[in-house]
Amino acid sequence: MGLRTFLAIDLPATLQSAIGQNIRTVKREFPGLAWSKPENLHINLKFLGETTEIQVDRIRQAVEPAISHVSPFVIECKGFGAFPDNRSPRVLWIGLGGALDSLVTLAGCVGRAVVPLGFPQEDRPFRPHLTVARVKRDHREVGRVLGTLGVFTDPFACGQFPVERIALFKSDLRPTGPIYTKLWDLSLNA
């Protein structure tokens, strides 16, 4: 059986903790949502899905030269949003600011690098965000309450961090939530 993998930016533990603190009030209001554990928070660059053990090294060999021209940059975490929209959310996320052009460039480099390995190019544009919860039911009611609480207009900021590395993670899905394990990481061009 293969691995379920994705390429992402790992967040510093201090930022994961700060985000956990900032969303505590919202979490209390919505205990029924599927909340991400703070230690699992990351910026997903490319979901790969089923991956063989042999592909793990090939992905590294393809991605390393593809990101060699991308310099480290700084990203800021701030504010809530939802997919597909705030009225009927299915995914609750924290927005990103800072060097978003660099982040979009990095995601594009990573995505193009793995196409020759059999991983298809995304058919939708990259939308930088941090997923913090999934809404399983009562989408409109959740959107209404989030709006009433002012969650989408609260400009809270969780902090900023330097993006200096990307990683390949494997995801083991469990009834208690996914467990992410870093398989390797690579430095951006310093």
Side-chain angles (χ1 to χ4, degrees):
M1 187 166 112
L3 307 169
R4 186 174 189 265
T5 66
F6 59 93
L7 289 155
I9 297 166
D10 200 11
L11 301 184
T14 53
L15 183 59
Q16 291 170 334
S17 178
I19 292 170
Q21 294 294 325
N22 277 336
I23 64 174
R24 185 171 286 158
T25 303
V26 179
K27 267 179 100 166
R28 276 196 299 265
E29 294 289 330
F30 296 98
L33 299 187
W35 290 93
S36 299
K37 295 174 184 169
E39 64 271 18
N40 281 351
L41 293 174
H42 61 273
I43 301 172
N44 192 19
L45 297 172
K46 173 73 176 163
F47 177 75
L48 300 172
E50 282 298 312
T51 306
T52 65
E53 293 280 351
I54 292 170
Q55 286 176 307
V56 169
D57 285 332
R58 290 182 181 157
I59 294 166
R60 183 184 185 121
Q61 292 166 4
V63 170
E64 191 165 22
I67 66 169
S68 65
H69 69 283
V70 179
S71 296
F73 54 93
V74 175
I75 290 294
E76 178 184 7
C77 298
K78 58 181 185 177
F80 278 105
F83 292 137
D85 59 50
N86 295 353
R87 287 178 317 227
S88 187
R90 303 216 184 261
V91 173
L92 184 61
W93 48 260
I94 291 176
L96 301 175
L100 293 181
D101 288 347
S102 295
L103 181 58
V104 170
T105 297
L106 179 61
C109 292
V110 166
R112 286 186 298 278
V114 297
V115 168
L117 302 176
F119 299 102
Q121 184 77 26
E122 291 291 328
D123 57 354
R124 56 186 173 192
F126 178 69
R127 301 213 20 217
H129 68 282
L130 286 170
T131 298
V132 292
R134 298 196 182 278
V135 182
K136 300 293 187 182
R137 60 188 190 318
D138 302 325
H139 306 286
R140 288 206 180 276
E141 179 61 14
V142 169
R144 187 189 67 72
V145 175
L146 287 170
T148 301
L149 292 172
V151 169
F152 297 123
T153 55
D154 182 2
F156 83 90
C158 297
Q160 58 183 19
F161 68 101
V163 175
E164 300 170 327
R165 306 182 73 75
I166 70 163
L168 179 71
F169 290 90
K170 76 172 182 169
S171 173
D172 293 311
L173 301 179
R174 306 279 170 87
T176 55
I179 296 174
Y180 300 145
T181 306
K182 191 183 298 184
L183 300 177
W184 51 254
D185 66 357
L186 295 170
S187 294
L188 298 182
N189 176 31

